Each structure stands twice: as structure tokens, then as C-alpha cells.
Amino acid sequence: MRLPKLPAIGIGAPRLTGANLRTPLRTLGPGSVSSLLKIALDVAYVLLALITGVLLLLWVASIFIPLDNINVTVTDGDNGRQMPLTRPLLLFGVGAMTAYFGGFLMILRGLRKIFRTLTLGDPFQPDNVRRLRQIGLILAVVTGGVWLAQGLVAARLAPGVMEPQGISDLLTPVFSILVVFVLAEVFREGARLRRESELTI
């Protein structure tokens, strides 16, 4: 005995094609990865500006606050050395931290402007070349300042407790600085090609 055939109800499984499986990940323009990174940079910039402002106020206050019978412990791992907190030492320490955070604040300021052009979908602008060069220069100054400050602390303030940074400790920062300057040249070449294409249209 054969069972009767049921009529088709017209519902079929959807066919998955390559176009359906691809989810485009935009890197430039509104709603892209660049716009998300721009938001993260904005938040980091505000936080770093607040930290730098607080440190600057603390540096000004350290000129007037009394420092009687206050000691600090300088340590590098297991070893430590206690020494009186003098006003020059306090001004040097707070000033160095303020300069450190201020340098990275300027770097974030340049990055925010660069990512703003990425969000607009127009990265190859001459201003971005200048911004990248400024970022590389600031990064070089901050790296050199940290290296000199740590060497000064190790030699003058805590001899035998802290070790100064060696040349090998500069390899990674120097490599990062060179990468930034190479990116600046890439952007400069992109801006030149864009200008030539605009002139030929």
C-alpha cells in the first residue's frame, strides 16, 4: 500500500553562498575599526590629561609644602635604601613624572588627529606626515629622558641600589621610533601620489 504524497509547501532551506559568509571588516570611514580606535584614544586622552593636570598641581604644591622628617625608600627589587625626602628630590621626581605623562599626552593628541582623518576615509594628508614626525620626535625625547633620569637616580640618589639602564634597554624604544618615522615617509609618499592623481584629473 502506497502512502499519498503530501503537497510541497514551498519552504526551502536558504542557500549559503560566499557572499553571505563574508562579513566585511571596514578599516576606514565612519563605523569602521578606525572610528572605534578613535573613541578609545579620546577616552585615554582625557584620562591622561587629568593625570597630567593633577601631577602639575602636585609639582606646584611641592614647592610650598613642608618636608620635615619625611623619608623615602628607594628600592629596586630586594634591595632598598632609606633617604630623607628633600625638596629638590621631590621636585625632580614629580617633575619627571609630569614630563613623562605630558609627553605621552602630546603623542595621544597627534594620534587622535591622525585617526580622525582615518575615520573620514582620507588618511594621506600632508598634516599626517607632520604629525607622525612629531610623534616620533616626542617619543625619542621621552625615551632619552627616561634613560637619562634613571641613570641619574642610579648614580646619584641610589648608588648600589638601582642599576642604570644599558644600551640594550633602548633597542625596543629605538625600533619603535624608527617605525614611526618610516610610517611618516609612507604617508608622505601616499600624499604625493594623491596630489599627482588630483592634478591629472
Side-chain angles (χ1 to χ4, degrees), residues 68-98:
D68 298 334
N69 299 323
I70 299 178
N71 295 328
V72 293
T73 301
V74 181
T75 180
D76 184 16
D78 298 330
N79 299 323
R81 176 183 176 185
Q82 198 171 40
M83 56 189 305
L85 180 62
T86 61
R87 196 170 305 278
L89 178 61
L90 179 61
L91 290 174
F92 172 77
V94 178
M97 290 181 62
T98 305

Side-chain angles (χ1 to χ4, degrees), residues 99-121:
Y100 181 81
F101 282 101
F104 278 101
L105 183 67
M106 295 174 65
I107 291 175
L108 282 182
R109 180 173 175 267
L111 286 176
R112 289 174 65 232
K113 292 182 178 180
I114 292 174
F115 272 85
R116 185 179 300 144
T117 62
L118 296 179
T119 303
L120 296 175

Side-chain angles (χ1 to χ4, degrees), residues 7 26 31 35 37-38 47 58 60 78 86 92-93 152 179-180 200:
R26 298 176 57 194
S35 62
L37 292 176
K38 171 67 168 53
L47 292 177
L58 183 60
V60 174
D78 298 330
T86 61
F92 172 77
L152 179 63
V179 168
V180 172
T200 55

Side-chain angles (χ1 to χ4, degrees), residues 6-199:
L6 297 176
I9 57 177
I11 299 177
R15 298 180 61 185
L16 297 178
T17 61
N20 299 124
L21 294 176
R22 284 197 298 266
T23 55
L25 184 64
R26 298 176 57 194
T27 56
L28 298 177
S32 63
V33 177
S34 299
S35 62
L36 294 178
L37 292 176
K38 171 67 168 53
I39 295 173
L41 286 173
D42 290 340
V43 174
Y45 180 80
V46 172
L47 292 177
L48 201 57
L50 291 174
I51 294 173
T52 306
V54 170
L55 287 174
L56 187 59
L57 292 175
L58 183 60
W59 185 83
V60 174
S62 62
I63 301 175
F64 305 102
I65 58 176
L67 300 175
D68 298 334
N69 299 323
I70 299 178
N71 295 328
V72 293
T73 301
V74 181
T75 180
D76 184 16
D78 298 330
N79 299 323
R81 176 183 176 185
Q82 198 171 40
M83 56 189 305
L85 180 62
T86 61
R87 196 170 305 278
L89 178 61
L90 179 61
L91 290 174
F92 172 77
V94 178
M97 290 181 62
T98 305
Y100 181 81
F101 282 101
F104 278 101
L105 183 67
M106 295 174 65
I107 291 175
L108 282 182
R109 180 173 175 267
L111 286 176
R112 289 174 65 232
K113 292 182 178 180
I114 292 174
F115 272 85
R116 185 179 300 144
T117 62
L118 296 179
T119 303
L120 296 175
D122 188 18
F124 294 114
Q125 297 184 6
D127 289 338
N128 282 345
V129 179
R130 175 180 52 81
R131 289 163 185 156
L132 282 171
R133 288 174 178 170
Q134 288 177 349
I135 289 173
L137 182 61
I138 295 170
L139 191 58
V141 171
V142 170
T143 301
V146 170
W147 190 76
L148 290 175
Q150 187 165 344
L152 179 63
V153 170
R156 299 286 184 178
L157 301 179
V161 178
M162 296 184 64
E163 295 184 0
Q165 286 186 333
I167 300 298
S168 59
D169 297 322
L170 293 175
L171 293 179
T172 300
V174 168
F175 179 77
S176 303
I177 294 167
L178 292 177
V179 168
V180 172
F181 280 109
V182 169
L183 283 176
E185 292 304 308
V186 171
F187 272 72
R188 184 182 66 83
E189 185 66 17
R192 184 186 66 82
L193 293 175
R194 172 192 167 186
R195 186 169 57 251
E196 290 181 355
S197 65
E198 290 175 349
L199 292 176

